[in-house]
Amino acid sequence: MEKFELDILGCGSATPTTLHNPSSQVLNVREKLFMIDCGEGTQLQFRRSKLRFGRLNYIFISHLHGDHCFGLIGLISTLALLGRTGDLTIFSVAGLEDVLRTEIDFFCRDNPFRVKVETFDPKRSEVIYDDRSVSVKTIPLLHRVPCGGFLFQEKQKEAHLLPEMIKFYNVPIRELARIKQGADYITEDGVLIANNRLTKPAEPARSYAYCSDTAYNENIIPIIEGVDLLYHEATFADVDAMRAKQTGHSTAVQAAQIAKMAHVKKLMLGHFSARYVDNQILLDEASKIFPNTILANEGLREKL
């Protein structure tokens, strides 16, 4: 099975700690790397995770709080030092390009590659990226500033041919493409050979949803319904639910409620407040509602 795996580079919230880095992660889809948020220190975490800078072509920024984008200019500078020449595309809410362009013009005036910023509307759910392997759709989130999450949906692969059956029925090469796409085969004698005798189904397409930063928001449930993995912020424990509401964040309990209602397969908690020395309290609270819950942590590589 081809790669569809998530590397956590940072899962802390705004206040720096020695326990967690600011928000950033990388999704590897069939050896294409997609970065989601880029907090301070992301490039160091990227190297520690032994990811390849040359495979990173797309970055998705959820919103313009520093703990989600302060690492961009450092990463861009490093990519230039490494000799990058290909375009780097950043998807973001409005406002990033004005700030980033000033930084690039000052610190990276001889940048050998083009940085393109594509703006999305955080109030709408729409496809902002699409290729042969995956599509990316935005998820409107509730925060103190415009903010959007991201749904990564792998494209369903064609069925696998059964070589022994293809040979047995003497299927011509010209028919193979149609059969892989689901067509039956009719022999020269007019006998219909059902597609399921010639193929076996491909592995199910996988999906991943990133929802940070956000207050409790049931409106996202239809968008993330049934995803294989949901990363949902859990900045606060239930005792601090009022603080979560005031700051536009979620508790671990609320994240678990969303996961349960959306029938996701697995929940990963992240964006932890610096006030908690041990995030086990968040895991314990969420697991009571949604048992298949795990904690994000720097260096974690989750295979879907």
Side-chain angles (χ1 to χ4, degrees), residues 139-251:
I139 306 170
L141 300 177
L142 293 178
H143 196 40
R144 303 191 307 278
V145 298
C147 184
F150 306 103
L151 172 63
F152 291 78
Q153 295 176 298
E154 184 183 30
K155 299 290 181 67
Q156 181 62 54
K157 298 173 73 174
E158 295 178 335
H160 300 297
L161 297 173
L162 298 174
E164 66 278 10
M165 301 305 291
I166 296 297
K167 182 177 180 181
F168 179 81
Y169 289 108
N170 292 316
V171 179
I173 293 177
R174 66 177 182 272
E175 295 289 337
L176 298 184
R178 293 179 60 254
I179 292 172
K180 289 175 68 175
Q181 294 170 4
D184 297 325
Y185 171 60
I186 300 177
T187 68
E188 294 181 355
D189 299 329
V191 178
L192 187 145
I193 310 300
N195 183 269
N196 60 13
R197 298 190 65 181
L198 301 170
T199 65
K200 66 177 181 179
E203 299 82 4
R206 295 158 288 184
S207 55
Y208 170 63
Y210 175 88
C211 296
S212 184
D213 296 6
T214 185
Y216 181 77
N217 181 16
E218 294 183 7
N219 291 332
I220 70 175
I221 291 173
I223 304 173
I224 65 173
E225 180 79 29
V227 296
D228 291 288
L229 177 64
L230 167 64
Y231 178 96
H232 195 290
E233 74 131 279
T235 308
F236 295 104
D238 200 46
V239 68
D240 296 311
M242 184 57 67
R243 181 61 178 163
K245 183 176 181 179
Q246 292 170 345
T247 57
H249 287 293
S250 296
T251 66

